[in-house]
Amino acid sequence: NEKTFIMVKPDGVQRNLIGEIVTRFEKKGFQLVGAKLMSVSKELAEEHYGEHKERPFFGELVDFITSSPVFAMVWEGPGVIATARQMMGTTNPSEAAPGTIRGDYGISVGMNIIHGSDSAESAEREMGLWFTDQDLTSYDKTLSKWI
Ligand code: GTP
Ligand code: MG
């Protein structure tokens, strides 16, 4: 069962977009298996974005992610990793297609509302970083045979 890590970033939480984002993934047919609203430590932010450590914007990125709470989630479903990335839109919201989350709600690359794992390896790593096994549920929905 494919799973991915999705996070509403501080700008998305501040702008009351949690419900909208959860709704989009629910309506698509994916299943929520874990979620929490949380403040992010500097250590966790640096670990999560470790691949960007050498980039000039790394400090800014860590400051932003730790500036206000995020809403961390795990979503499950066939092809959820790639499809979630499509639903998010490209990294820079100015260029993201209308109809995507970033395309509909964002303007600046620094505040692009949402994070989603970019590969199966990233999804495993990030789920392990943000959630314990006990945080995640697995359950059958009778609806799943219709999706
Ligand atoms: P994430 O889902 O957040 O990982 O975004 P992404 O995979 O679409 O992009 P990437 O991993 O390449 O970059 C990680 C994050 O760094 C982006 O989501 C942006 O928020 C931020 N970022 C990327 N480029 C810039 C930049 O030039 N300036 C600033 N301030 N932030 C940037
Ligand atoms: Mg990324």
Side-chain angles (χ1 to χ4, degrees), residues 9 18 44-45 54 64-66 83 87 90 99-100 107 110 115 123 130 135 147:
K9 295 183 180 183
I18 293 174
L44 178 57
E54 308 305 329
F64 169 58
I65 292 296
T66 57
T83 302
M87 291 167 68
T90 54
T100 65
I107 295 174
H115 163 82
W130 293 83
D135 289 334
I147 289 169

Side-chain angles (χ1 to χ4, degrees), residues 25-92:
F25 286 101
E26 281 186 324
K27 286 187 174 171
K28 179 68 177 169
F30 293 129
Q31 193 169 339
L32 185 64
V33 294
K36 56 184 168 183
L37 182 76
M38 58 183 281
S39 298
V40 184
S41 68
K42 192 163 186 276
E43 291 68 35
L44 178 57
E46 287 177 346
E47 182 73 36
H48 173 78
Y49 280 121
E51 64 170 320
H52 300 304
K53 204 162 21 198
E54 308 305 329
R55 303 278 199 95
F57 57 81
F58 184 69
E60 232 174 88
L61 182 57
V62 169
D63 285 348
F64 169 58
I65 292 296
T66 57
S67 65
S68 182
V70 303
F71 192 66
M73 298 170 277
V74 173
W75 285 88
E76 182 180 298
V80 66
I81 300 170
T83 302
R85 295 279 295 185
Q86 288 190 331
M87 291 167 68
M88 288 161 50
T90 54
T91 306
N92 186 345

